[in-house]
Amino acid sequence: MPLSSLTTELGNSSLEARGIITTLFDEWEEALLRGVRVVTPQKPQAARSRARSILAAVQGGVVILQATSRTDYLGAALTTALDDLRPAAVPAT
């Protein structure tokens, strides 16, 4: 179950639930941040912004996927969020 579902169901039910959900999002963001730092030498704030963009792309794309059964929104969001993190293609010789 994606965190967006938990957020929708529990996020407004109590401050305790909101705290747990916030912690889970923060942990996911930190994991993504470590990955971004491995593949690109971005400045700290740019790397954090990229990690947050990836997280938002996944969560937003999954919400739309659940509502429509269409993966193209998730694919487009992730392509945009990850595009310049991929290694450049090596030209054929």
Side-chain angles (χ1 to χ4, degrees), residues 42-77:
Q42 294 186 349
K43 293 181 181 176
Q45 190 54 40
R48 182 160 304 278
S49 181
R50 177 56 61 95
R52 289 177 175 172
S53 294
I54 296 167
L55 178 55
V58 170
Q59 286 298 295
V62 167
V63 168
I64 295 171
L65 170 65
Q66 289 174 323
T68 66
S69 296
R70 292 177 57 186
T71 60
D72 48 333
Y73 292 99
L74 176 60

Side-chain angles (χ1 to χ4, degrees), residues 9-69:
E9 295 297 320
L10 301 175
N12 294 321
S13 64
S14 73
L15 289 177
E16 188 175 86
R18 181 174 289 185
I20 292 168
I21 292 166
T22 299
T23 298
L24 292 171
F25 275 117
D26 289 346
E27 289 175 6
W28 193 2
E29 178 186 326
E30 288 303 315
L32 289 166
L33 181 58
R34 287 190 301 275
V36 168
R37 287 180 177 152
V38 166
V39 298
T40 183
Q42 294 186 349
K43 293 181 181 176
Q45 190 54 40
R48 182 160 304 278
S49 181
R50 177 56 61 95
R52 289 177 175 172
S53 294
I54 296 167
L55 178 55
V58 170
Q59 286 298 295
V62 167
V63 168
I64 295 171
L65 170 65
Q66 289 174 323
T68 66
S69 296

Side-chain angles (χ1 to χ4, degrees), residues 77-88:
L78 285 174
T79 295
T80 300
L82 299 173
D83 191 44
D84 63 339
L85 294 178
R86 294 186 179 113

